[in-house]
Amino acid sequence: MKIALMMEFSQAGKNSIVFDQLNSVASEQGHEVFNVGMKDDNDHRLTYIHLGIISALLLNSKAVDFVVAGCGTGQGALMSLNAYPGVACGYCIDPADAYLFAQINNGNALALPFAKGFGWGAELNLRYVFEKAFTGETGLGYPPERRESQVSNAGILTNVKLATSKPFLDGLKALDPELVKQAVGSAHFQACFFDGCQDDDLKTFVRSFT
């Protein structure tokens, strides 16, 4: 699995802490982590609005399989990521959230708070969250006897989002071009996107801003 980590400008100073925990867990499971920013306070500036755009590009192009995103509360990142088709983002505060999301909702992104509640032992909580999110098979249901209905509902919700959304590329073209330009301007994002992108139309779209 390919996993992208991203966080907005207000939490960039914690990037190395989050990356170290995520990469440690992911490497043990044979997953690859791409740190697409912000890596520090001087990195290419991203708000949680930009996180939604780049998450959707990475997931819809199949450049990555999963996104870990965050801002101060995690709520802005959650809303921004879920604004796009092809993204199913859950809100995660503790390991139980990560486990239940993986088993019941089986989405492809998590939004975490990197300021609220980020105190003593925060790195331990992160590690346990990532262990529950990325260890073992997902979509098994919880409790197990409810798996059938949970899998059905997850599929229905995906189809509802597709039915009520514009096609992804049409939606991107309707956004403020300056917003998109800032979102895709990070060298870390571009390296991850262009290396793994499997959609030529999306690749052409992003190249028009670089």
Side-chain angles (χ1 to χ4, degrees), residues 112-187:
L112 281 70
F114 292 136
K116 184 178 182 294
F118 201 94
W120 190 75
E123 76 285 358
L124 296 176
N125 186 60
L126 283 171
R127 180 175 182 85
Y128 302 151
V129 162
F130 297 143
E131 286 177 349
K132 292 302 183 184
F134 300 116
T135 301
E137 187 178 354
T138 61
L140 295 180
Y142 184 88
E145 62 268 20
R146 295 186 59 193
R147 180 185 185 186
E148 185 176 345
S149 66
Q150 290 168 351
V151 170
S152 175
N153 286 335
I156 291 170
L157 185 58
T158 297
N159 290 332
V160 166
K161 191 169 187 177
L162 286 173
T164 59
S165 300
K166 288 183 178 181
F168 178 49
L169 189 54
D170 290 346
L172 287 175
K173 291 177 179 179
L175 294 176
D176 179 349
E178 290 302 313
L179 188 65
V180 178
K181 183 177 181 179
Q182 181 68 19
V184 304
S186 166

